[in-house]
């Protein structure tokens, strides 16, 4: 109803208009490139890591995902509620996979 | 309109014509659109239930054969779950009442709200299309278990698509309520001044938002397997049927709380009003809603005890299942404590609430019987399970829905229902319900399996009793509906606050004006159920 939304403050409207300089975004991007290079290096040269190579790759990938979500997808500047949504979703996803995997691994 | 000068125009009068309804973005109208659609589907599914009970009145074939029977119970389940119980309380009462209860003029996303209704209608049409297209309705049960659902010739794809679309409708409702509760509460209303129904909707909304996508993907996987032969669940294609059960119940256990939590919220509204007392343990009830929503994600394996899941996994799921009973029990204790030494006013909504407590208790306790691994090995897939879930879903959620229909009848339609007829209908429903479902618990203990059109002779007596119960129940339901229809014409005009309720929806005229309140509503101080705060006199 267009006529009764005057007093609304909806999540769509950014509370504070956050202006991020280009330089900052480029910095983030360079950081992501460096992390990508690290992933490659670890897989090619990190033979000594053996069992840890998967874990290392996962840690690097998760770091990248967090950076992308926070800065490129603006999670850092959004309402807390959206961060909660994201967090709870990831947590439950882990629960679903973990319990199901537990069944398969103990069968 | 000269006589109505004192009364502001209500939301029915504000706009007229079909389009003013089906394209309305007013939460009250959308709630009512949902209501009429939901109650129609309920009656269809009730008729199917009647036919099933008729088939089971005697061993052997009476009114239908095996395949038809399988199709009938599938359609009955799909409609009751996806088209009645899941949307019933949130999409109708939630839509209509939430903004009124928290003192605002609409939900956060009115257009999304309308869109969700259209999705609901589309999903409903798909479900009904299975009746007339191709080989008829699916015969898999509402659970669509693979690999049978991948192989059967019946209309599984269409039915699954219907459930998929309905899931989206449910997600949108949940999203809308979360944002509404966070952002649109009346400026002075703190979280712990919200009515408990709003708390229940809030907890439910998170389940709708986060669990429903899982069933969406699972149903798409069924279609992928049926249509493109992708080997996911069918062992002959290299898939794993137990994986399907995991995915299905990851959603569907939390979904049983989508069905019952909002109903519990309705009970928490009605009990303090008719006990004329502040609710006992407000915070405990509010937090237990969140606890149920949360713990509900960790117990899905209790549906799979006999599926071939690993031993350790079964033990863990069984232990976790017992945890979920704790917050449910907290609510029951608090309702009973609220009634204790209250000035009890026995009206139809209270009768339904008391029936809820009794029936939900039986449902919850039988839940523990089958939640225990050892007993469930015997009881799984027997009539005991059918008895259990009807006690929680119909005896609980369904009775809460019908009780609330009487409680807010005046607020919604502006007239009061006929009390005497309503009470007769209630007693018919209560007696009918228990005559219909209690024998099922006994039959299950005796070993009668579910989902067959036929049974051994030694089960006959209890089956006849059960079928007679279905006739009593249906008579009660029809009488209730007739009473509600007739009262719209002949009922007394409803005052703002016919029951002496304390929450904010009672401050506005019945029915409310287009923008919900004729004066800025007053947020009650402190506990929303404090009868000292009662602003509007009981008329
Ligand atoms: C105290 C809480 C509850 C417990 C411990 C519980 C436990 C269980 C268990 C263990 C089963 C599986 C039995 C079997 O298939 O062998 C079951 C089935 C079922 N429960 Fe519950 N339950 C509870 C509450 C509820 C509620 C609140 C609802 C719905 C509003 C519900 C709806 C269902 C349904 C629909 C099924 C059968 C699904 C099917 O196989 O078609 N339950 N319950
Ligand atoms: Cu369950």
């Amino acid at each position: 109803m267009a006529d009764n939304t005057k007093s609304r403050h909806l999540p769509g409207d950014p509370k504070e208009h956050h202006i991020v300089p280009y330089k900052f975004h480029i910095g983030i991007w360079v950081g992501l490139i460096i992390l990508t290079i690290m992933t490659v290096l670890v897989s090619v040269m990190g033979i000594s890591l053996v069992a840890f190579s998967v874990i290392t790759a996962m840690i690097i990938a998760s770091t990248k995902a967090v950076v992308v979500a926070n800065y490129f997808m603006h999670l850092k500047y959004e309402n807390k509620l959206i961060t909660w949504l994201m967090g709870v979703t990831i947590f439950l996803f882990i629960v679903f996979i973990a319990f199901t995997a537990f069944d398969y691994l103990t069968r | 309109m000269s006589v109505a000068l004192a009364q502001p125009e209500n939301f029915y009068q504000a706009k007229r014509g079909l389009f003013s309804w089906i394209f309305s973005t007013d939460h009250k109208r959308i709630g009512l659109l949902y209501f009429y659609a939901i109650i129609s589907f309920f009656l269809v599914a009730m008729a199917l239930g009647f036919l099933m009970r008729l088939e089971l009145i005697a061993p052997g074939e009476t009114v239908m054969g095996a395949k038809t029977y399988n199709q009938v119970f599938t359609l009955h389940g799909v409609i009751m779950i996806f088209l009645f119980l899941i949307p019933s309380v949130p999409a109708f009462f939630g839509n209509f009442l939430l903004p009124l209860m928290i003192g605002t003029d609409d939900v956060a996303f009115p257009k999304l709200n309308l869109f969700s209704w259209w999705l609901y209608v589309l999903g409903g049409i798909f479900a009904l299309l299975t009746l007339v297209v191709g080989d008829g309705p699916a015969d898999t049960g509402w659970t669509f278990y693979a690999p049978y659902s991948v192989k059967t010739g019946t209309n599984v794809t269409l039915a699954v698509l219907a459930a998929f679309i309905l899931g989206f409708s449910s997600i949108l409702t949940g999203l809308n309520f979360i944002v509404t509760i966070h952002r649109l509460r009346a400026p002075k209303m703190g979280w712990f001044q919200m009515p408990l129904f709003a708390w229940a909707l809030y907890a439910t909304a998170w389940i709708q938002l986060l669990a429903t996508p899982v069933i969406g993907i699972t149903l798409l996987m069924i279609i992928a397997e049926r249509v493109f032969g992708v080997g996911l669940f069918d062992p002959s294609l290299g898939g794993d049927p137990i994986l399907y059960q995991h995915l299905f119940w990851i959603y569907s256990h939390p979904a049983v709380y989508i069905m019952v939590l909002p109903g519990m919220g309705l009970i928490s509204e009605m009990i303090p009003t008719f006990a004329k007392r502040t609710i006992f343990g407000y915070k405990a009830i509010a937090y237990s809603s969140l606890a149920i929503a949360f713990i509900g994600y960790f117990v899905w394996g209790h549906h799979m005890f006999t599926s071939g899941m690993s031993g350790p996994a079964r033990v863990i799921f069984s232990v976790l299942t017992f945890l979920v009973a704790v917050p449910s029990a907290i609510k029951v204790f608090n309702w009973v404590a609220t009634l204790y030494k209250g000035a009890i006013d026995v009206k139809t909504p209270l009768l339904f609430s008391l029936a809820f407590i009794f029936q939900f208790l039986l449902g919850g306790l039988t839940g523990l019987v089958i939640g225990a691994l050892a007993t469930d090995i015997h009881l799984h897939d027997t009539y005991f399970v059918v008895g259990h879930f009807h006690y929680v879903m119909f005896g609980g959620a369904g009775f809460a829905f019908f009780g609330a229909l009487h409680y807010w009848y005046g607020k919604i339609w502006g007239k009061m229902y006929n009390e005497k007829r309503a009470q007769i209908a209630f007693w018919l429903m209560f007696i009918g319900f228990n005559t219909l479902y209690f024998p099922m618990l006994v039959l299950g203990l005796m070993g009668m399996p579910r989902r067959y059109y036929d049974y051994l002779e030694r089960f006959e007596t209890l089956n006849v009793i059960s079928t007679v119960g279905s006739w009593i129940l249906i008579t009660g339901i029809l009488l209730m509906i007739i009473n509600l229809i007739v009262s719209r014409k002949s009922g007394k005009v409803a005052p703002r606050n016919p029951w002496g309720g304390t929450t904010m929806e009672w401050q506005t005229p019945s029915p409310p004006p287009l923008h919900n309140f004729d004066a800025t509503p007053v947020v009650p101080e402190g506990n929303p159920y404090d009868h000292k705060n009662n602003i509007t006199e009981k008329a």
Side-chain angles (χ1 to χ4, degrees), chain B residues 291-323:
Chain B
I292 288 177
F294 185 73
I295 304 172
Y297 282 110
F298 301 85
V299 303
W300 76 82
H302 64 214
H303 294 273
M304 303 165 59
F305 286 157
T306 62
S307 69
M309 190 169 58
S310 84
R314 290 192 283 175
V315 172
I316 290 174
F317 276 122
S318 182
V319 172
L320 289 173
T321 295
F322 277 78
L323 288 183

mmCIF file of all heavy atoms in Angstrom, chain B residues 291-323:
data_model
loop_
_atom_site.group_PDB
_atom_site.id
_atom_site.type_symbol
_atom_site.label_atom_id
_atom_site.label_comp_id
_atom_site.label_asym_id
_atom_site.label_seq_id
_atom_site.Cartn_x
_atom_site.Cartn_y
_atom_site.Cartn_z
ATOM 1 N N ALA B 291 13.164 -22.449 21.428
ATOM 2 C CA ALA B 291 13.859 -23.707 21.702
ATOM 3 C C ALA B 291 13.301 -24.831 20.829
ATOM 4 O O ALA B 291 14.062 -25.619 20.260
ATOM 5 C CB ALA B 291 13.731 -24.073 23.181
ATOM 6 N N ILE B 292 11.975 -24.871 20.693
ATOM 7 C CA ILE B 292 11.376 -25.915 19.854
ATOM 8 C C ILE B 292 11.864 -25.761 18.424
ATOM 9 O O ILE B 292 12.264 -26.726 17.772
ATOM 10 C CB ILE B 292 9.836 -25.830 19.900
ATOM 11 C CG1 ILE B 292 9.325 -26.308 21.259
ATOM 12 C CG2 ILE B 292 9.217 -26.661 18.794
ATOM 13 C CD1 ILE B 292 7.829 -26.192 21.420
ATOM 14 N N ALA B 293 11.858 -24.517 17.951
ATOM 15 C CA ALA B 293 12.291 -24.275 16.577
ATOM 16 C C ALA B 293 13.729 -24.745 16.389
ATOM 17 O O ALA B 293 14.080 -25.334 15.368
ATOM 18 C CB ALA B 293 12.167 -22.791 16.232
ATOM 19 N N PHE B 294 14.557 -24.514 17.386
ATOM 20 C CA PHE B 294 15.976 -24.849 17.251
ATOM 21 C C PHE B 294 16.205 -26.353 17.380
ATOM 22 O O PHE B 294 16.788 -26.985 16.492
ATOM 23 C CB PHE B 294 16.770 -24.079 18.309
ATOM 24 C CG PHE B 294 18.246 -24.256 18.170
ATOM 25 C CD1 PHE B 294 18.934 -23.642 17.126
ATOM 26 C CD2 PHE B 294 18.952 -25.045 19.070
ATOM 27 C CE1 PHE B 294 20.302 -23.816 16.981
ATOM 28 C CE2 PHE B 294 20.323 -25.217 18.932
ATOM 29 C CZ PHE B 294 20.995 -24.606 17.889
ATOM 30 N N ILE B 295 15.716 -26.953 18.467
ATOM 31 C CA ILE B 295 15.985 -28.380 18.699
ATOM 32 C C ILE B 295 15.364 -29.226 17.592
ATOM 33 O O ILE B 295 15.871 -30.289 17.242
ATOM 34 C CB ILE B 295 15.455 -28.829 20.082
ATOM 35 C CG1 ILE B 295 16.063 -27.955 21.184
ATOM 36 C CG2 ILE B 295 15.807 -30.280 20.355
ATOM 37 C CD1 ILE B 295 15.444 -28.201 22.543
ATOM 38 N N GLY B 296 14.262 -28.716 17.028
ATOM 39 C CA GLY B 296 13.589 -29.446 15.961
ATOM 40 C C GLY B 296 14.476 -29.792 14.776
ATOM 41 O O GLY B 296 14.145 -30.671 13.982
ATOM 42 N N TYR B 297 15.614 -29.119 14.641
ATOM 43 C CA TYR B 297 16.516 -29.409 13.522
ATOM 44 C C TYR B 297 17.403 -30.626 13.764
ATOM 45 O O TYR B 297 18.114 -31.063 12.868
ATOM 46 C CB TYR B 297 17.438 -28.214 13.268
ATOM 47 C CG TYR B 297 16.785 -27.087 12.517
ATOM 48 C CD1 TYR B 297 16.505 -25.878 13.144
ATOM 49 C CD2 TYR B 297 16.455 -27.222 11.172
ATOM 50 C CE1 TYR B 297 15.917 -24.836 12.466
ATOM 51 C CE2 TYR B 297 15.869 -26.188 10.488
ATOM 52 C CZ TYR B 297 15.603 -24.994 11.136
ATOM 53 O OH TYR B 297 15.016 -23.971 10.458
ATOM 54 N N PHE B 298 17.411 -31.163 14.982
ATOM 55 C CA PHE B 298 18.410 -32.183 15.302
ATOM 56 C C PHE B 298 17.816 -33.570 15.502
ATOM 57 O O PHE B 298 18.476 -34.451 16.019
ATOM 58 C CB PHE B 298 19.155 -31.786 16.586
ATOM 59 C CG PHE B 298 19.853 -30.473 16.470
ATOM 60 C CD1 PHE B 298 19.182 -29.286 16.712
ATOM 61 C CD2 PHE B 298 21.186 -30.422 16.084
ATOM 62 C CE1 PHE B 298 19.817 -28.076 16.587
ATOM 63 C CE2 PHE B 298 21.830 -29.208 15.956
ATOM 64 C CZ PHE B 298 21.151 -28.026 16.214
ATOM 65 N N VAL B 299 16.555 -33.761 15.169
ATOM 66 C CA VAL B 299 15.902 -35.011 15.553
ATOM 67 C C VAL B 299 15.316 -35.781 14.373
ATOM 68 O O VAL B 299 14.647 -36.787 14.582
ATOM 69 C CB VAL B 299 14.783 -34.733 16.585
ATOM 70 C CG1 VAL B 299 15.336 -34.026 17.802
ATOM 71 C CG2 VAL B 299 13.665 -33.909 15.982
ATOM 72 N N TRP B 300 15.581 -35.319 13.144
ATOM 73 C CA TRP B 300 14.834 -35.890 12.022
ATOM 74 C C TRP B 300 15.007 -37.409 11.904
ATOM 75 O O TRP B 300 14.110 -38.091 11.389
ATOM 76 C CB TRP B 300 15.221 -35.189 10.722
ATOM 77 C CG TRP B 300 16.554 -35.594 10.154
ATOM 78 C CD1 TRP B 300 16.799 -36.709 9.398
ATOM 79 C CD2 TRP B 300 17.810 -34.913 10.283
ATOM 80 N NE1 TRP B 300 18.127 -36.745 9.045
ATOM 81 C CE2 TRP B 300 18.769 -35.658 9.568
ATOM 82 C CE3 TRP B 300 18.210 -33.735 10.916
ATOM 83 C CZ2 TRP B 300 20.119 -35.272 9.480
ATOM 84 C CZ3 TRP B 300 19.540 -33.356 10.821
ATOM 85 C CH2 TRP B 300 20.484 -34.113 10.127
ATOM 86 N N GLY B 301 16.130 -37.927 12.389
ATOM 87 C CA GLY B 301 16.393 -39.359 12.229
ATOM 88 C C GLY B 301 15.377 -40.258 12.915
ATOM 89 O O GLY B 301 15.324 -41.449 12.612
ATOM 90 N N HIS B 302 14.531 -39.696 13.813
ATOM 91 C CA HIS B 302 13.580 -40.592 14.469
ATOM 92 C C HIS B 302 12.508 -41.126 13.515
ATOM 93 O O HIS B 302 11.757 -42.012 13.883
ATOM 94 C CB HIS B 302 12.953 -39.951 15.722
ATOM 95 C CG HIS B 302 12.117 -38.737 15.472
ATOM 96 N ND1 HIS B 302 12.045 -37.698 16.349
ATOM 97 C CD2 HIS B 302 11.320 -38.386 14.450
ATOM 98 C CE1 HIS B 302 11.241 -36.776 15.874
ATOM 99 N NE2 HIS B 302 10.780 -37.171 14.734
ATOM 100 N N HIS B 303 12.456 -40.612 12.314
ATOM 101 C CA HIS B 303 11.530 -41.177 11.326
ATOM 102 C C HIS B 303 12.170 -42.334 10.574
ATOM 103 O O HIS B 303 11.544 -42.940 9.721
ATOM 104 C CB HIS B 303 11.104 -40.103 10.321
ATOM 105 C CG HIS B 303 10.295 -39.012 10.946
ATOM 106 N ND1 HIS B 303 8.943 -39.074 11.094
ATOM 107 C CD2 HIS B 303 10.667 -37.838 11.498
ATOM 108 C CE1 HIS B 303 8.504 -37.988 11.695
ATOM 109 N NE2 HIS B 303 9.542 -37.219 11.962
ATOM 110 N N MET B 304 13.451 -42.584 10.849
ATOM 111 C CA MET B 304 14.198 -43.527 10.011
ATOM 112 C C MET B 304 14.770 -44.686 10.811
ATOM 113 O O MET B 304 15.728 -45.323 10.381
ATOM 114 C CB MET B 304 15.346 -42.773 9.323
ATOM 115 C CG MET B 304 14.894 -41.592 8.496
ATOM 116 S SD MET B 304 16.247 -40.506 8.075
ATOM 117 C CE MET B 304 17.303 -41.618 7.180
ATOM 118 N N PHE B 305 14.188 -44.958 11.971
ATOM 119 C CA PHE B 305 14.765 -45.993 12.820
ATOM 120 C C PHE B 305 14.800 -47.367 12.156
ATOM 121 O O PHE B 305 15.642 -48.188 12.474
ATOM 122 C CB PHE B 305 13.988 -46.082 14.140
ATOM 123 C CG PHE B 305 14.267 -44.938 15.079
ATOM 124 C CD1 PHE B 305 13.338 -44.597 16.061
ATOM 125 C CD2 PHE B 305 15.447 -44.212 15.013
ATOM 126 C CE1 PHE B 305 13.585 -43.549 16.943
ATOM 127 C CE2 PHE B 305 15.701 -43.163 15.891
ATOM 128 C CZ PHE B 305 14.769 -42.828 16.852
ATOM 129 N N THR B 306 13.847 -47.632 11.265
ATOM 130 C CA THR B 306 13.844 -48.963 10.638
ATOM 131 C C THR B 306 14.307 -48.918 9.186
ATOM 132 O O THR B 306 14.131 -49.866 8.440
ATOM 133 C CB THR B 306 12.428 -49.581 10.661
ATOM 134 O OG1 THR B 306 11.569 -48.734 9.913
ATOM 135 C CG2 THR B 306 11.900 -49.723 12.077
ATOM 136 N N SER B 307 14.911 -47.803 8.778
ATOM 137 C CA SER B 307 15.239 -47.651 7.362
ATOM 138 C C SER B 307 16.571 -48.281 6.990
ATOM 139 O O SER B 307 16.890 -48.409 5.816
ATOM 140 C CB SER B 307 15.297 -46.169 7.013
ATOM 141 O OG SER B 307 16.422 -45.587 7.658
ATOM 142 N N GLY B 308 17.372 -48.655 7.977
ATOM 143 C CA GLY B 308 18.704 -49.150 7.671
ATOM 144 C C GLY B 308 19.776 -48.123 8.011
ATOM 145 O O GLY B 308 20.937 -48.276 7.638
ATOM 146 N N MET B 309 19.382 -47.090 8.731
ATOM 147 C CA MET B 309 20.358 -46.119 9.216
ATOM 148 C C MET B 309 21.266 -46.797 10.242
ATOM 149 O O MET B 309 20.871 -47.773 10.878
ATOM 150 C CB MET B 309 19.592 -44.963 9.865
ATOM 151 C CG MET B 309 20.438 -43.774 10.193
ATOM 152 S SD MET B 309 19.401 -42.370 10.655
ATOM 153 C CE MET B 309 18.492 -43.015 12.018
ATOM 154 N N SER B 310 22.479 -46.275 10.441
ATOM 155 C CA SER B 310 23.436 -46.961 11.314
ATOM 156 C C SER B 310 22.967 -46.980 12.766
ATOM 157 O O SER B 310 22.225 -46.095 13.204
ATOM 158 C CB SER B 310 24.795 -46.276 11.234
ATOM 159 O OG SER B 310 24.831 -45.181 12.118
ATOM 160 N N GLY B 311 23.425 -47.970 13.516
ATOM 161 C CA GLY B 311 23.064 -48.107 14.925
ATOM 162 C C GLY B 311 23.385 -46.876 15.749
ATOM 163 O O GLY B 311 22.501 -46.306 16.397
ATOM 164 N N PRO B 312 24.654 -46.414 15.740
ATOM 165 C CA PRO B 312 24.981 -45.232 16.542
ATOM 166 C C PRO B 312 24.140 -44.012 16.167
ATOM 167 O O PRO B 312 23.688 -43.270 17.045
ATOM 168 C CB PRO B 312 26.458 -44.990 16.219
ATOM 169 C CG PRO B 312 26.978 -46.305 15.776
ATOM 170 C CD PRO B 312 25.845 -47.023 15.127
ATOM 171 N N ALA B 313 23.864 -43.823 14.892
ATOM 172 C CA ALA B 313 23.059 -42.671 14.481
ATOM 173 C C ALA B 313 21.650 -42.788 15.056
ATOM 174 O O ALA B 313 21.054 -41.806 15.504
ATOM 175 C CB ALA B 313 23.003 -42.569 12.957
ATOM 176 N N ARG B 314 21.107 -44.011 15.082
ATOM 177 C CA ARG B 314 19.765 -44.194 15.627
ATOM 178 C C ARG B 314 19.728 -43.846 17.112
ATOM 179 O O ARG B 314 18.801 -43.191 17.585
ATOM 180 C CB ARG B 314 19.303 -45.636 15.400
ATOM 181 C CG ARG B 314 19.028 -45.906 13.939
ATOM 182 C CD ARG B 314 18.308 -47.215 13.755
ATOM 183 N NE ARG B 314 19.227 -48.349 13.901
ATOM 184 C CZ ARG B 314 18.835 -49.623 13.882
ATOM 185 N NH1 ARG B 314 17.555 -49.910 13.748
ATOM 186 N NH2 ARG B 314 19.703 -50.592 13.995
ATOM 187 N N VAL B 315 20.760 -44.293 17.839
ATOM 188 C CA VAL B 315 20.787 -44.010 19.277
ATOM 189 C C VAL B 315 20.844 -42.501 19.513
ATOM 190 O O VAL B 315 20.097 -41.944 20.326
ATOM 191 C CB VAL B 315 21.993 -44.710 19.938
ATOM 192 C CG1 VAL B 315 22.133 -44.263 21.389
ATOM 193 C CG2 VAL B 315 21.828 -46.221 19.846
ATOM 194 N N ILE B 316 21.693 -41.813 18.773
ATOM 195 C CA ILE B 316 21.838 -40.366 18.976
ATOM 196 C C ILE B 316 20.529 -39.638 18.664
ATOM 197 O O ILE B 316 20.076 -38.783 19.419
ATOM 198 C CB ILE B 316 22.999 -39.825 18.113
ATOM 199 C CG1 ILE B 316 24.308 -40.343 18.702
ATOM 200 C CG2 ILE B 316 22.985 -38.300 18.071
ATOM 201 C CD1 ILE B 316 25.517 -40.013 17.884
ATOM 202 N N PHE B 317 19.898 -40.011 17.550
ATOM 203 C CA PHE B 317 18.642 -39.347 17.194
ATOM 204 C C PHE B 317 17.559 -39.623 18.230
ATOM 205 O O PHE B 317 16.731 -38.766 18.521
ATOM 206 C CB PHE B 317 18.167 -39.784 15.811
ATOM 207 C CG PHE B 317 18.799 -39.000 14.686
ATOM 208 C CD1 PHE B 317 19.518 -39.625 13.674
ATOM 209 C CD2 PHE B 317 18.660 -37.616 14.627
ATOM 210 C CE1 PHE B 317 20.089 -38.898 12.636
ATOM 211 C CE2 PHE B 317 19.223 -36.884 13.593
ATOM 212 C CZ PHE B 317 19.942 -37.526 12.597
ATOM 213 N N SER B 318 17.566 -40.817 18.792
ATOM 214 C CA SER B 318 16.557 -41.143 19.794
ATOM 215 C C SER B 318 16.746 -40.283 21.043
ATOM 216 O O SER B 318 15.791 -39.730 21.592
ATOM 217 C CB SER B 318 16.634 -42.633 20.136
ATOM 218 O OG SER B 318 15.636 -42.974 21.066
ATOM 219 N N VAL B 319 18.001 -40.134 21.471
ATOM 220 C CA VAL B 319 18.274 -39.316 22.658
ATOM 221 C C VAL B 319 17.866 -37.865 22.399
ATOM 222 O O VAL B 319 17.185 -37.231 23.220
ATOM 223 C CB VAL B 319 19.776 -39.394 23.026
ATOM 224 C CG1 VAL B 319 20.098 -38.393 24.126
ATOM 225 C CG2 VAL B 319 20.135 -40.808 23.449
ATOM 226 N N LEU B 320 18.248 -37.350 21.235
ATOM 227 C CA LEU B 320 17.922 -35.955 20.932
ATOM 228 C C LEU B 320 16.413 -35.736 20.868
ATOM 229 O O LEU B 320 15.906 -34.674 21.249
ATOM 230 C CB LEU B 320 18.574 -35.535 19.610
ATOM 231 C CG LEU B 320 20.099 -35.393 19.664
ATOM 232 C CD1 LEU B 320 20.659 -35.152 18.266
ATOM 233 C CD2 LEU B 320 20.493 -34.240 20.573
ATOM 234 N N THR B 321 15.688 -36.748 20.390
ATOM 235 C CA THR B 321 14.238 -36.620 20.278
ATOM 236 C C THR B 321 13.602 -36.335 21.643
ATOM 237 O O THR B 321 12.656 -35.564 21.751
ATOM 238 C CB THR B 321 13.641 -37.893 19.661
ATOM 239 O OG1 THR B 321 14.126 -38.010 18.325
ATOM 240 C CG2 THR B 321 12.120 -37.831 19.624
ATOM 241 N N PHE B 322 14.181 -36.953 22.674
ATOM 242 C CA PHE B 322 13.607 -36.722 23.995
ATOM 243 C C PHE B 322 13.754 -35.273 24.435
ATOM 244 O O PHE B 322 12.930 -34.752 25.175
ATOM 245 C CB PHE B 322 14.235 -37.677 25.009
ATOM 246 C CG PHE B 322 13.578 -39.023 24.980
ATOM 247 C CD1 PHE B 322 13.871 -39.926 23.978
ATOM 248 C CD2 PHE B 322 12.620 -39.345 25.911
ATOM 249 C CE1 PHE B 322 13.231 -41.143 23.914
ATOM 250 C CE2 PHE B 322 11.972 -40.558 25.858
ATOM 251 C CZ PHE B 322 12.279 -41.473 24.851
ATOM 252 N N LEU B 323 14.814 -34.612 23.936
ATOM 253 C CA LEU B 323 15.008 -33.201 24.306
ATOM 254 C C LEU B 323 13.863 -32.324 23.814
ATOM 255 O O LEU B 323 13.467 -31.364 24.473
ATOM 256 C CB LEU B 323 16.306 -32.668 23.697
ATOM 257 C CG LEU B 323 17.614 -33.169 24.306
ATOM 258 C CD1 LEU B 323 18.779 -32.470 23.621
ATOM 259 C CD2 LEU B 323 17.621 -32.889 25.793
#
